[in-house]
Amino acid sequence: MSALVLVPVAASVTQVVTTVVTAHFDWRLFAILVVLSATPAVGALVEGRSPQRHSGEDRTSGRSGRDLGSGLPPPVGTRVFTGRTEPLRRLRSCEAREGNLGPLIIAITGLGGTGKTELALRAVRELAVDYPDAQLWLEMRTYAAAESRMSMEQALRLLLNALGVSPDPHLTGVAALSRTWRSATENKKLLVVLDDVDQVDQVQPLLPAATSAIALTSRHPLPGLDPDIAVVLDTLTQDEACTLASRILERAGSPDADTARMIAAAFRLPLTVRQVADLKAANPGVDLTDLLTGDDQAVPDVTAGDQLLRSLPTDARLVLRRAAYYPGSLISPEVAAVMSGKPVRSVRPVLAHLYQRGLLLPDRRTGYRIHDLVRTAAQNTVSPRDRAREQAACDERLFHYVHLATSFATRALYCAEDVAMPDESDVHRPHVPAPRFASNVAAAAWLDEQHTDLLAVARRCVAQRSPRAWKLIYQLEYYQRIRGFYDEIVELHIQVLRQTEESGDLLGQAGMHQNLGLVDMRTGNYPAARGRFHQALALYAAAGNPTGQAEIHHEMHHIDCWLGNLPSAHAHGEAELRFAQDGGTLIDLAAAHADLGWVERLEGNHDSAHRHLTASLRLYEQTGQPRGTATAHRHLGLLATARGDAPAARTHFDQAMTRYLELGDILNQAETHIGLATLQRRPGGNLRSRCLSESGGCISAGQG
């Protein structure tokens, strides 16, 4: 599994490093090279704190074995697709132009409901053989609610994560991420699909290298794009509409040529033809006119959606309307149950019924999607006043549920039970159980899949000025940090900081300053990080929160250690221990002992360092925190090496390496290899020493 906090180093640099180290072995030079190779990850070289407060768990195991590009698969699509013979022919024959300086660009435009997404799905299937490295699908969600729309920073980070490019904390902003994206796609054959684009500015930063292709869908042409192939979709002809309706009815086991002709005579928009045909297939014994209007008058495309919704049973109409308020894209049974206020078991058959009626689309994950036109029509079935009141109630249930689910995911991602969870008084008992996770890999996979939707929920929570907003984004920050969503962290935290300042919420302010300080520390802006941490420390003190004060001293201790200010680091370590003893958890105590042991070792106080590190190891083992346990072993190995106790050092390093391998923690594997190399540097051990060092250097460069 790839490291989450490392930036890949070019092969040439790795070769130079290896050559220098092996030919002229200088330990100071080697240490500098290793640190430089992991400079963006320097903020991760800390241990033992709960994730939302601790900068040092950024090396949680990574991709969980996913293939290249598997993080952004296309939707499932419909089973019946007809009437687009000429566009499909053009897609099959399209090839990159000789001498083209950029990627192949395919633009599919047309009104909403004309089948642009379905045609893009066919493009993926037709062209996949020509672009075998990956097919990446991004829903830009231009016409969704504001909080749901995909930002350029978010889109670029998703694309880079899908390619396995580890987050570089120095890469923030569209320009820097776009350059990295183009570099990452050099010599790769990728097909990228941007669904639901509105402006050319949404496309240009996402263009891959010239060896790849990009397809986009939009409701209107995009001046300045200059696509290699442009497909404009219109409504279907009557014959095409009849064929589509006939095949849908046939596939449902109720062929009816007369009904197909009736549908085609009234409707031309592919989305409406599908919905009406699905409605008839679900009600084979009822006349089509009775299903739609109750009389013999046909319904035009523009009002068919409203009629289809009015024909639904009351419970189905309610579930669809409330699910339409969801700011994300995946309508899972759990989400629909939360939004509707009904049990999951009663919602599942309703969702299946809505799918059979053509009002929901199957999703690549476990659930459904709603077309924007259906979403709007569903929301418009109630008055604006009732809609606002109903949406507020749905939002409150959703915020409770997502806060709890994110807390469970963060706890599993950190591999410890010692992660702050919402209090019973803070979270109503949900009628829908939040997901639980058996491992950090399972939690990471769930967060990878859900992050876009979770971010949309967090943005709505902030926009609604919910008092839960800071707690939700505080939990989400840990995952965002290890995946590199720094721009989103800053965006949300700055907004919520203002709100907590207005409301006088001291803990909320402290948490926001703390997390912003962690981002500053990860991006190497230590003066800004110190400023944030000092503000957080004062706020935690004013709120009477000793745990928060211990956490801040922990972070400042590490900054001082990295910068070589050992007296200040020692003072912060002692303050951390006092506050941890006053009101902290066992992991807080373990972290404080580890920090003091670290600085005591650097100062040469070996006996005191051994006492603190042994206490830290015992506490980490007691709490079942594998990464903290591994780190304590590594520090004890370094201490034993300094004291000349080679057998003890090797035992501790072996224990540390075993746990880091289990966690997929590449950075600390490298650090442990360096410790083993140091141990082997004795007469007759130079070759072994160099081998271990090279191994550590390669891993540290992301090549292991």
Side-chain angles (χ1 to χ4, degrees), residues 71-83:
L72 296 172
V76 174
T78 58
R79 299 297 183 92
V80 179
F81 185 82
T82 65

Side-chain angles (χ1 to χ4, degrees), residues 481-499:
R481 177 157 36 95
I482 65 177
R483 283 294 195 241
F485 293 100
Y486 304 109
D487 295 286
E488 288 75 13
I489 294 172
V490 174
E491 166 209 335
L492 291 170
H493 281 69
I494 290 293
Q495 293 180 51
V496 175
L497 178 58
R498 297 193 192 103
Q499 294 178 11

Side-chain angles (χ1 to χ4, degrees), residues 165-234:
V165 178
S166 301
D168 181 347
H170 295 125
L171 290 179
T172 58
V174 174
L177 289 169
S178 182
R179 287 193 298 270
T180 304
W181 161 243
R182 285 196 179 89
S183 175
T185 57
E186 288 287 348
N187 302 317
K188 286 186 172 65
K189 288 185 173 293
L190 310 172
L191 175 58
V192 181
V193 181
L194 309 179
D195 192 24
D196 202 13
V197 172
D198 185 56
Q199 303 174 24
V200 71
D201 291 346
Q202 293 175 284
V203 180
Q204 290 171 335
L206 307 182
L207 292 175
T211 52
S212 295
I214 188 166
L216 59 97
T217 70
S218 177
R219 294 188 183 181
H220 54 80
L222 302 177
L225 184 63
D226 189 24
D228 296 286
I229 179 169
V231 174
V232 180
L233 296 185
D234 201 348

